[in-house]
DNA sequence: GTGCTTGCAAAGACTTTGCAAACTT
DNA sequence: AAGTTTGCAAAGTCTTTGCAAGCAC
């Protein structure tokens, strides 16, 4: 079965992602189910980081029958396919983030005042991680740099002065 | 009551740490209990990273009455006092590590083959974290860099070729 | 004696899993 | 038709908490 390339399906905006996910599923010998697409779509409905629970709520909004179990079973597929990125900042639950085209290594700056997570491009870290790993005779597979920071303008701004996602890079 | 400075108490090797912990407890208005010292000692009995469960076992070896609840209640005190460092590499449980004099920023290289955690000095990261934070108008409080790496000599060595704790730095 | 600490066991929080029904291929 | 996938609810895992007894000050 071929992937259609030009006819409009359910949610046009997600066309590329849906195609990619479908290809991923097929390549893995997994089944292409409606639930999986709903959860993919719900992931991309979040503009920021989201938790499994938030994804469940968002998915239920699209299809009320989606269950928590399916969320937890589908997330690993979305991550493996590269469409969703996992962001573990050491809280009880993990955060996830739809991958909307970021290609450089991301660092998270976590505001200890407002708890927001800023994503910052940090391409240099890729080289650095490789250097550190090399010294141990190892090859880096993934890495994370997270910085807990206090807002210097504390109190000036009820929403903690910055947009949720920043795209500065260092 | 003064801290005695020259008479030998229970475990001489830990004399400094015990004094420091005692001072910490007193300064916080907390009570100086035997359980807290046993857990401190058990922490330092580990040469590597340890989990809460491992600390419980080690503590019980010193004093069988120590309970899991006390472990979990004492760990935050040890961390706040700076005698123990928390190392969260995103597994279900956290790791801890007795602070035996490290002063520079540590990066963890986690071997995906043998699951060991290598501690590597990375003083440069302190500057880097501050730079990233500054760009957002924030002040860094803490940070972590963790690198998941594959062992390049896979299979050559059943214990994965490296000592548990490395002290290279980058 | 006063009130912080402890041990026990139960509760919590998030995630995973067993199983029968539903669905994809 | 054959074998995944799903929803539900129960189970799991690590950690936290309520409470009465015990201990530090």
């Amino acid at each position: 079965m071929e992937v259609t390339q030009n006819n409009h399906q359910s949610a046009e905006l997600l066309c590329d992602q849906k195609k990619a996910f479908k290809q991923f599923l097929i390549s893995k010998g997994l089944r292409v189910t409606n639930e999986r697409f709903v959860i993919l779509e719900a992931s991309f409905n979040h503009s920021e980081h989201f938790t499994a629970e938030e994804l469940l709520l968002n998915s239920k909004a699209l299809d009320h029958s989606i269950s928590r179990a399916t969320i937890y079973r589908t997330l690993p597929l979305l991550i493996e396919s590269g469409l969703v990125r996992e962001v573990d900042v050491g809280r009880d639950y993990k955060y996830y983030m739809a991958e909307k085209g970021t290609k450089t290594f991301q660092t998270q700056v976590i505001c200890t005042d407002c708890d927001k997570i800023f994503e910052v491009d940090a391409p240099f870290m890729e080289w650095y991680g490789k250097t550190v790993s090399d010294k141990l005779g190892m090859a880096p597979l993934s890495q994370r740099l997270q910085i807990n920071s206090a807002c210097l303008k504390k109190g000036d701004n009820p929403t903690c002065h910055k947009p949720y996602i920043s795209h500065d890079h260092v």
PDB file of all heavy atoms in Angstrom, chain C residues 7-19:
ATOM      1  P    DG C   7      14.465   3.567  62.971  1.00  0.00           P
ATOM      2  OP1  DG C   7      15.601   2.696  63.369  1.00  0.00           O
ATOM      3  OP2  DG C   7      14.469   4.247  61.661  1.00  0.00           O
ATOM      4  O5'  DG C   7      13.128   2.709  63.080  1.00  0.00           O
ATOM      5  C5'  DG C   7      12.824   2.013  64.275  1.00  0.00           C
ATOM      6  C4'  DG C   7      11.491   1.292  64.136  1.00  0.00           C
ATOM      7  O4'  DG C   7      10.431   2.270  64.082  1.00  0.00           O
ATOM      8  C3'  DG C   7      11.360   0.436  62.876  1.00  0.00           C
ATOM      9  O3'  DG C   7      10.765  -0.807  63.239  1.00  0.00           O
ATOM     10  C2'  DG C   7      10.458   1.261  61.961  1.00  0.00           C
ATOM     11  C1'  DG C   7       9.641   2.088  62.922  1.00  0.00           C
ATOM     12  N9   DG C   7       9.304   3.427  62.444  1.00  0.00           N
ATOM     13  C8   DG C   7      10.091   4.265  61.697  1.00  0.00           C
ATOM     14  N7   DG C   7       9.532   5.427  61.447  1.00  0.00           N
ATOM     15  C5   DG C   7       8.298   5.353  62.074  1.00  0.00           C
ATOM     16  C6   DG C   7       7.247   6.309  62.158  1.00  0.00           C
ATOM     17  O6   DG C   7       7.205   7.436  61.691  1.00  0.00           O
ATOM     18  N1   DG C   7       6.166   5.829  62.894  1.00  0.00           N
ATOM     19  C2   DG C   7       6.106   4.579  63.474  1.00  0.00           C
ATOM     20  N2   DG C   7       4.991   4.294  64.125  1.00  0.00           N
ATOM     21  N3   DG C   7       7.072   3.670  63.404  1.00  0.00           N
ATOM     22  C4   DG C   7       8.142   4.128  62.691  1.00  0.00           C
ATOM     23  P    DC C   8      10.614  -1.964  62.203  1.00  0.00           P
ATOM     24  OP1  DC C   8      10.880  -3.224  62.938  1.00  0.00           O
ATOM     25  OP2  DC C   8      11.377  -1.653  60.982  1.00  0.00           O
ATOM     26  O5'  DC C   8       9.061  -1.920  61.857  1.00  0.00           O
ATOM     27  C5'  DC C   8       8.112  -1.901  62.926  1.00  0.00           C
ATOM     28  C4'  DC C   8       6.733  -1.573  62.390  1.00  0.00           C
ATOM     29  O4'  DC C   8       6.622  -0.148  62.184  1.00  0.00           O
ATOM     30  C3'  DC C   8       6.403  -2.238  61.055  1.00  0.00           C
ATOM     31  O3'  DC C   8       5.283  -3.103  61.217  1.00  0.00           O
ATOM     32  C2'  DC C   8       6.093  -1.093  60.100  1.00  0.00           C
ATOM     33  C1'  DC C   8       5.818   0.079  61.037  1.00  0.00           C
ATOM     34  N1   DC C   8       6.238   1.384  60.472  1.00  0.00           N
ATOM     35  C2   DC C   8       5.398   2.482  60.618  1.00  0.00           C
ATOM     36  O2   DC C   8       4.321   2.349  61.209  1.00  0.00           O
ATOM     37  N3   DC C   8       5.791   3.670  60.106  1.00  0.00           N
ATOM     38  C4   DC C   8       6.960   3.777  59.468  1.00  0.00           C
ATOM     39  N4   DC C   8       7.301   4.969  58.986  1.00  0.00           N
ATOM     40  C5   DC C   8       7.834   2.653  59.316  1.00  0.00           C
ATOM     41  C6   DC C   8       7.438   1.492  59.831  1.00  0.00           C
ATOM     42  P    DA C   9       4.889  -4.114  60.029  1.00  0.00           P
ATOM     43  OP1  DA C   9       4.448  -5.373  60.665  1.00  0.00           O
ATOM     44  OP2  DA C   9       5.937  -4.120  58.997  1.00  0.00           O
ATOM     45  O5'  DA C   9       3.618  -3.374  59.439  1.00  0.00           O
ATOM     46  C5'  DA C   9       2.757  -2.652  60.331  1.00  0.00           C
ATOM     47  C4'  DA C   9       1.900  -1.715  59.521  1.00  0.00           C
ATOM     48  O4'  DA C   9       2.658  -0.538  59.154  1.00  0.00           O
ATOM     49  C3'  DA C   9       1.400  -2.330  58.210  1.00  0.00           C
ATOM     50  O3'  DA C   9       0.048  -1.963  58.034  1.00  0.00           O
ATOM     51  C2'  DA C   9       2.301  -1.709  57.157  1.00  0.00           C
ATOM     52  C1'  DA C   9       2.540  -0.327  57.752  1.00  0.00           C
ATOM     53  N9   DA C   9       3.757   0.335  57.277  1.00  0.00           N
ATOM     54  C8   DA C   9       4.935  -0.249  56.914  1.00  0.00           C
ATOM     55  N7   DA C   9       5.852   0.614  56.522  1.00  0.00           N
ATOM     56  C5   DA C   9       5.221   1.843  56.638  1.00  0.00           C
ATOM     57  C6   DA C   9       5.641   3.155  56.383  1.00  0.00           C
ATOM     58  N6   DA C   9       6.857   3.458  55.934  1.00  0.00           N
ATOM     59  N1   DA C   9       4.758   4.151  56.610  1.00  0.00           N
ATOM     60  C2   DA C   9       3.532   3.844  57.063  1.00  0.00           C
ATOM     61  N3   DA C   9       3.024   2.651  57.349  1.00  0.00           N
ATOM     62  C4   DA C   9       3.927   1.683  57.107  1.00  0.00           C
ATOM     63  P    DA C  10      -0.801  -2.562  56.815  1.00  0.00           P
ATOM     64  OP1  DA C  10      -1.807  -3.470  57.396  1.00  0.00           O
ATOM     65  OP2  DA C  10       0.129  -3.054  55.767  1.00  0.00           O
ATOM     66  O5'  DA C  10      -1.543  -1.263  56.279  1.00  0.00           O
ATOM     67  C5'  DA C  10      -1.869  -0.215  57.213  1.00  0.00           C
ATOM     68  C4'  DA C  10      -1.918   1.096  56.465  1.00  0.00           C
ATOM     69  O4'  DA C  10      -0.579   1.568  56.195  1.00  0.00           O
ATOM     70  C3'  DA C  10      -2.628   1.003  55.116  1.00  0.00           C
ATOM     71  O3'  DA C  10      -3.485   2.122  54.969  1.00  0.00           O
ATOM     72  C2'  DA C  10      -1.477   1.023  54.114  1.00  0.00           C
ATOM     73  C1'  DA C  10      -0.474   1.920  54.823  1.00  0.00           C
ATOM     74  N9   DA C  10       0.918   1.731  54.413  1.00  0.00           N
ATOM     75  C8   DA C  10       1.594   0.548  54.230  1.00  0.00           C
ATOM     76  N7   DA C  10       2.840   0.699  53.853  1.00  0.00           N
ATOM     77  C5   DA C  10       2.999   2.080  53.788  1.00  0.00           C
ATOM     78  C6   DA C  10       4.092   2.897  53.463  1.00  0.00           C
ATOM     79  N6   DA C  10       5.284   2.415  53.111  1.00  0.00           N
ATOM     80  N1   DA C  10       3.917   4.230  53.496  1.00  0.00           N
ATOM     81  C2   DA C  10       2.712   4.714  53.843  1.00  0.00           C
ATOM     82  N3   DA C  10       1.609   4.047  54.185  1.00  0.00           N
ATOM     83  C4   DA C  10       1.827   2.722  54.139  1.00  0.00           C
ATOM     84  P    DA C  11      -4.411   2.293  53.702  1.00  0.00           P
ATOM     85  OP1  DA C  11      -5.776   2.612  54.174  1.00  0.00           O
ATOM     86  OP2  DA C  11      -4.181   1.141  52.801  1.00  0.00           O
ATOM     87  O5'  DA C  11      -3.811   3.610  53.026  1.00  0.00           O
ATOM     88  C5'  DA C  11      -3.440   4.700  53.870  1.00  0.00           C
ATOM     89  C4'  DA C  11      -2.632   5.702  53.065  1.00  0.00           C
ATOM     90  O4'  DA C  11      -1.300   5.197  52.818  1.00  0.00           O
ATOM     91  C3'  DA C  11      -3.241   6.043  51.707  1.00  0.00           C
ATOM     92  O3'  DA C  11      -3.151   7.440  51.542  1.00  0.00           O
ATOM     93  C2'  DA C  11      -2.333   5.289  50.722  1.00  0.00           C
ATOM     94  C1'  DA C  11      -0.990   5.359  51.445  1.00  0.00           C
ATOM     95  N9   DA C  11      -0.014   4.316  51.102  1.00  0.00           N
ATOM     96  C8   DA C  11      -0.196   2.961  51.078  1.00  0.00           C
ATOM     97  N7   DA C  11       0.901   2.289  50.761  1.00  0.00           N
ATOM     98  C5   DA C  11       1.850   3.270  50.576  1.00  0.00           C
ATOM     99  C6   DA C  11       3.216   3.215  50.239  1.00  0.00           C
ATOM    100  N6   DA C  11       3.877   2.083  50.015  1.00  0.00           N
ATOM    101  N1   DA C  11       3.888   4.377  50.132  1.00  0.00           N
ATOM    102  C2   DA C  11       3.217   5.530  50.349  1.00  0.00           C
ATOM    103  N3   DA C  11       1.942   5.706  50.683  1.00  0.00           N
ATOM    104  C4   DA C  11       1.310   4.523  50.782  1.00  0.00           C
ATOM    105  P    DG C  12      -4.069   8.185  50.458  1.00  0.00           P
ATOM    106  OP1  DG C  12      -4.730   9.328  51.106  1.00  0.00           O
ATOM    107  OP2  DG C  12      -4.873   7.151  49.745  1.00  0.00           O
ATOM    108  O5'  DG C  12      -2.970   8.737  49.473  1.00  0.00           O
ATOM    109  C5'  DG C  12      -1.645   8.302  49.598  1.00  0.00           C
ATOM    110  C4'  DG C  12      -0.745   9.166  48.746  1.00  0.00           C
ATOM    111  O4'  DG C  12       0.468   8.425  48.563  1.00  0.00           O
ATOM    112  C3'  DG C  12      -1.303   9.442  47.365  1.00  0.00           C
ATOM    113  O3'  DG C  12      -0.805  10.683  46.892  1.00  0.00           O
ATOM    114  C2'  DG C  12      -0.791   8.250  46.562  1.00  0.00           C
ATOM    115  C1'  DG C  12       0.542   7.925  47.240  1.00  0.00           C
ATOM    116  N9   DG C  12       0.816   6.495  47.325  1.00  0.00           N
ATOM    117  C8   DG C  12      -0.034   5.499  47.727  1.00  0.00           C
ATOM    118  N7   DG C  12       0.514   4.305  47.687  1.00  0.00           N
ATOM    119  C5   DG C  12       1.810   4.540  47.233  1.00  0.00           C
ATOM    120  C6   DG C  12       2.874   3.643  46.993  1.00  0.00           C
ATOM    121  O6   DG C  12       2.893   2.424  47.135  1.00  0.00           O
ATOM    122  N1   DG C  12       4.012   4.301  46.534  1.00  0.00           N
ATOM    123  C2   DG C  12       4.104   5.650  46.342  1.00  0.00           C
ATOM    124  N2   DG C  12       5.264   6.107  45.903  1.00  0.00           N
ATOM    125  N3   DG C  12       3.116   6.506  46.576  1.00  0.00           N
ATOM    126  C4   DG C  12       2.000   5.882  47.010  1.00  0.00           C
ATOM    127  P    DA C  13      -1.292  11.257  45.505  1.00  0.00           P
ATOM    128  OP1  DA C  13      -1.249  12.723  45.633  1.00  0.00           O
ATOM    129  OP2  DA C  13      -2.516  10.576  45.047  1.00  0.00           O
ATOM    130  O5'  DA C  13      -0.101  10.803  44.562  1.00  0.00           O
ATOM    131  C5'  DA C  13       1.212  11.302  44.789  1.00  0.00           C
ATOM    132  C4'  DA C  13       2.064  11.007  43.579  1.00  0.00           C
ATOM    133  O4'  DA C  13       2.500   9.634  43.661  1.00  0.00           O
ATOM    134  C3'  DA C  13       1.292  11.149  42.260  1.00  0.00           C
ATOM    135  O3'  DA C  13       2.119  11.744  41.279  1.00  0.00           O
ATOM    136  C2'  DA C  13       0.934   9.735  41.889  1.00  0.00           C
ATOM    137  C1'  DA C  13       2.056   8.919  42.523  1.00  0.00           C
ATOM    138  N9   DA C  13       1.604   7.613  42.995  1.00  0.00           N
ATOM    139  C8   DA C  13       0.381   7.301  43.527  1.00  0.00           C
ATOM    140  N7   DA C  13       0.259   6.040  43.867  1.00  0.00           N
ATOM    141  C5   DA C  13       1.491   5.489  43.533  1.00  0.00           C
ATOM    142  C6   DA C  13       2.004   4.199  43.641  1.00  0.00           C
ATOM    143  N6   DA C  13       1.316   3.179  44.138  1.00  0.00           N
ATOM    144  N1   DA C  13       3.257   3.989  43.213  1.00  0.00           N
ATOM    145  C2   DA C  13       3.965   5.019  42.715  1.00  0.00           C
ATOM    146  N3   DA C  13       3.593   6.287  42.567  1.00  0.00           N
ATOM    147  C4   DA C  13       2.326   6.454  43.002  1.00  0.00           C
ATOM    148  P    DC C  14       1.444  12.115  39.856  1.00  0.00           P
ATOM    149  OP1  DC C  14       1.954  13.447  39.527  1.00  0.00           O
ATOM    150  OP2  DC C  14       0.003  11.832  39.880  1.00  0.00           O
ATOM    151  O5'  DC C  14       2.139  11.056  38.892  1.00  0.00           O
ATOM    152  C5'  DC C  14       3.557  11.029  38.838  1.00  0.00           C
ATOM    153  C4'  DC C  14       4.016   9.709  38.268  1.00  0.00           C
ATOM    154  O4'  DC C  14       3.531   8.623  39.073  1.00  0.00           O
ATOM    155  C3'  DC C  14       3.546   9.418  36.845  1.00  0.00           C
ATOM    156  O3'  DC C  14       4.700   9.152  36.049  1.00  0.00           O
ATOM    157  C2'  DC C  14       2.651   8.199  36.974  1.00  0.00           C
ATOM    158  C1'  DC C  14       3.177   7.549  38.245  1.00  0.00           C
ATOM    159  N1   DC C  14       2.197   6.703  38.966  1.00  0.00           N
ATOM    160  C2   DC C  14       2.566   5.409  39.321  1.00  0.00           C
ATOM    161  O2   DC C  14       3.696   5.015  39.040  1.00  0.00           O
ATOM    162  N3   DC C  14       1.663   4.634  39.964  1.00  0.00           N
ATOM    163  C4   DC C  14       0.449   5.105  40.250  1.00  0.00           C
ATOM    164  N4   DC C  14      -0.403   4.300  40.884  1.00  0.00           N
ATOM    165  C5   DC C  14       0.062   6.426  39.906  1.00  0.00           C
ATOM    166  C6   DC C  14       0.954   7.192  39.258  1.00  0.00           C
ATOM    167  P    DT C  15       4.604   8.943  34.479  1.00  0.00           P
ATOM    168  OP1  DT C  15       5.883   9.408  33.913  1.00  0.00           O
ATOM    169  OP2  DT C  15       3.322   9.446  33.953  1.00  0.00           O
ATOM    170  O5'  DT C  15       4.601   7.351  34.392  1.00  0.00           O
ATOM    171  C5'  DT C  15       5.648   6.651  35.036  1.00  0.00           C
ATOM    172  C4'  DT C  15       5.445   5.169  34.938  1.00  0.00           C
ATOM    173  O4'  DT C  15       4.342   4.752  35.771  1.00  0.00           O
ATOM    174  C3'  DT C  15       5.153   4.629  33.539  1.00  0.00           C
ATOM    175  O3'  DT C  15       6.157   3.660  33.259  1.00  0.00           O
ATOM    176  C2'  DT C  15       3.769   4.008  33.637  1.00  0.00           C
ATOM    177  C1'  DT C  15       3.647   3.713  35.126  1.00  0.00           C
ATOM    178  N1   DT C  15       2.294   3.710  35.708  1.00  0.00           N
ATOM    179  C2   DT C  15       1.860   2.563  36.325  1.00  0.00           C
ATOM    180  O2   DT C  15       2.525   1.547  36.388  1.00  0.00           O
ATOM    181  N3   DT C  15       0.608   2.646  36.878  1.00  0.00           N
ATOM    182  C4   DT C  15      -0.234   3.733  36.872  1.00  0.00           C
ATOM    183  O4   DT C  15      -1.336   3.675  37.422  1.00  0.00           O
ATOM    184  C5   DT C  15       0.275   4.913  36.206  1.00  0.00           C
ATOM    185  C7   DT C  15      -0.566   6.141  36.135  1.00  0.00           C
ATOM    186  C6   DT C  15       1.508   4.842  35.661  1.00  0.00           C
ATOM    187  P    DT C  16       6.149   2.813  31.903  1.00  0.00           P
ATOM    188  OP1  DT C  16       7.556   2.567  31.550  1.00  0.00           O
ATOM    189  OP2  DT C  16       5.228   3.430  30.936  1.00  0.00           O
ATOM    190  O5'  DT C  16       5.535   1.437  32.392  1.00  0.00           O
ATOM    191  C5'  DT C  16       6.130   0.789  33.512  1.00  0.00           C
ATOM    192  C4'  DT C  16       5.408  -0.509  33.795  1.00  0.00           C
ATOM    193  O4'  DT C  16       4.091  -0.244  34.320  1.00  0.00           O
ATOM    194  C3'  DT C  16       5.214  -1.426  32.581  1.00  0.00           C
ATOM    195  O3'  DT C  16       5.610  -2.725  32.990  1.00  0.00           O
ATOM    196  C2'  DT C  16       3.720  -1.342  32.285  1.00  0.00           C
ATOM    197  C1'  DT C  16       3.149  -1.082  33.673  1.00  0.00           C
ATOM    198  N1   DT C  16       1.865  -0.346  33.755  1.00  0.00           N
ATOM    199  C2   DT C  16       0.862  -0.880  34.522  1.00  0.00           C
ATOM    200  O2   DT C  16       0.946  -1.943  35.106  1.00  0.00           O
ATOM    201  N3   DT C  16      -0.276  -0.105  34.594  1.00  0.00           N
ATOM    202  C4   DT C  16      -0.500   1.110  33.995  1.00  0.00           C
ATOM    203  O4   DT C  16      -1.556   1.705  34.151  1.00  0.00           O
ATOM    204  C5   DT C  16       0.591   1.605  33.186  1.00  0.00           C
ATOM    205  C7   DT C  16       0.445   2.907  32.478  1.00  0.00           C
ATOM    206  C6   DT C  16       1.707   0.860  33.110  1.00  0.00           C
ATOM    207  P    DT C  17       5.625  -3.940  31.975  1.00  0.00           P
ATOM    208  OP1  DT C  17       6.773  -4.790  32.341  1.00  0.00           O
ATOM    209  OP2  DT C  17       5.453  -3.440  30.609  1.00  0.00           O
ATOM    210  O5'  DT C  17       4.289  -4.726  32.387  1.00  0.00           O
ATOM    211  C5'  DT C  17       4.066  -5.049  33.743  1.00  0.00           C
ATOM    212  C4'  DT C  17       2.779  -5.834  33.872  1.00  0.00           C
ATOM    213  O4'  DT C  17       1.652  -4.941  33.920  1.00  0.00           O
ATOM    214  C3'  DT C  17       2.502  -6.804  32.727  1.00  0.00           C
ATOM    215  O3'  DT C  17       1.954  -7.996  33.276  1.00  0.00           O
ATOM    216  C2'  DT C  17       1.463  -6.084  31.878  1.00  0.00           C
ATOM    217  C1'  DT C  17       0.688  -5.336  32.957  1.00  0.00           C
ATOM    218  N1   DT C  17      -0.004  -4.103  32.527  1.00  0.00           N
ATOM    219  C2   DT C  17      -1.211  -3.816  33.109  1.00  0.00           C
ATOM    220  O2   DT C  17      -1.744  -4.531  33.930  1.00  0.00           O
ATOM    221  N3   DT C  17      -1.785  -2.639  32.689  1.00  0.00           N
ATOM    222  C4   DT C  17      -1.282  -1.748  31.775  1.00  0.00           C
ATOM    223  O4   DT C  17      -1.894  -0.726  31.505  1.00  0.00           O
ATOM    224  C5   DT C  17      -0.006  -2.118  31.197  1.00  0.00           C
ATOM    225  C7   DT C  17       0.621  -1.230  30.180  1.00  0.00           C
ATOM    226  C6   DT C  17       0.566  -3.264  31.599  1.00  0.00           C
ATOM    227  P    DG C  18       1.954  -9.327  32.433  1.00  0.00           P
ATOM    228  OP1  DG C  18       2.931 -10.243  33.050  1.00  0.00           O
ATOM    229  OP2  DG C  18       2.038  -9.005  30.991  1.00  0.00           O
ATOM    230  O5'  DG C  18       0.494  -9.886  32.739  1.00  0.00           O
ATOM    231  C5'  DG C  18      -0.004  -9.905  34.093  1.00  0.00           C
ATOM    232  C4'  DG C  18      -1.472 -10.287  34.081  1.00  0.00           C
ATOM    233  O4'  DG C  18      -2.276  -9.122  33.791  1.00  0.00           O
ATOM    234  C3'  DG C  18      -1.852 -11.335  33.040  1.00  0.00           C
ATOM    235  O3'  DG C  18      -2.902 -12.146  33.576  1.00  0.00           O
ATOM    236  C2'  DG C  18      -2.341 -10.503  31.865  1.00  0.00           C
ATOM    237  C1'  DG C  18      -2.969  -9.288  32.548  1.00  0.00           C
ATOM    238  N9   DG C  18      -2.837  -8.025  31.825  1.00  0.00           N
ATOM    239  C8   DG C  18      -1.743  -7.563  31.143  1.00  0.00           C
ATOM    240  N7   DG C  18      -1.917  -6.373  30.642  1.00  0.00           N
ATOM    241  C5   DG C  18      -3.200  -6.018  31.021  1.00  0.00           C
ATOM    242  C6   DG C  18      -3.942  -4.829  30.786  1.00  0.00           C
ATOM    243  O6   DG C  18      -3.600  -3.828  30.177  1.00  0.00           O
ATOM    244  N1   DG C  18      -5.213  -4.894  31.349  1.00  0.00           N
ATOM    245  C2   DG C  18      -5.712  -5.958  32.055  1.00  0.00           C
ATOM    246  N2   DG C  18      -6.942  -5.840  32.517  1.00  0.00           N
ATOM    247  N3   DG C  18      -5.027  -7.067  32.296  1.00  0.00           N
ATOM    248  C4   DG C  18      -3.785  -7.021  31.752  1.00  0.00           C
ATOM    249  P    DC C  19      -3.442 -13.406  32.786  1.00  0.00           P
ATOM    250  OP1  DC C  19      -3.850 -14.383  33.813  1.00  0.00           O
ATOM    251  OP2  DC C  19      -2.494 -13.780  31.710  1.00  0.00           O
ATOM    252  O5'  DC C  19      -4.767 -12.819  32.117  1.00  0.00           O
ATOM    253  C5'  DC C  19      -5.748 -12.157  32.940  1.00  0.00           C
ATOM    254  C4'  DC C  19      -6.903 -11.700  32.086  1.00  0.00           C
ATOM    255  O4'  DC C  19      -6.622 -10.376  31.554  1.00  0.00           O
ATOM    256  C3'  DC C  19      -7.201 -12.599  30.885  1.00  0.00           C
ATOM    257  O3'  DC C  19      -8.601 -12.798  30.773  1.00  0.00           O
ATOM    258  C2'  DC C  19      -6.675 -11.803  29.700  1.00  0.00           C
ATOM    259  C1'  DC C  19      -6.921 -10.370  30.170  1.00  0.00           C
ATOM    260  N1   DC C  19      -6.054  -9.346  29.532  1.00  0.00           N
ATOM    261  C2   DC C  19      -6.571  -8.068  29.336  1.00  0.00           C
ATOM    262  O2   DC C  19      -7.714  -7.813  29.707  1.00  0.00           O
ATOM    263  N3   DC C  19      -5.775  -7.130  28.745  1.00  0.00           N
ATOM    264  C4   DC C  19      -4.542  -7.446  28.360  1.00  0.00           C
ATOM    265  N4   DC C  19      -3.812  -6.493  27.784  1.00  0.00           N
ATOM    266  C5   DC C  19      -4.007  -8.760  28.557  1.00  0.00           C
ATOM    267  C6   DC C  19      -4.791  -9.672  29.143  1.00  0.00           C
TER     268       DC C  19
END
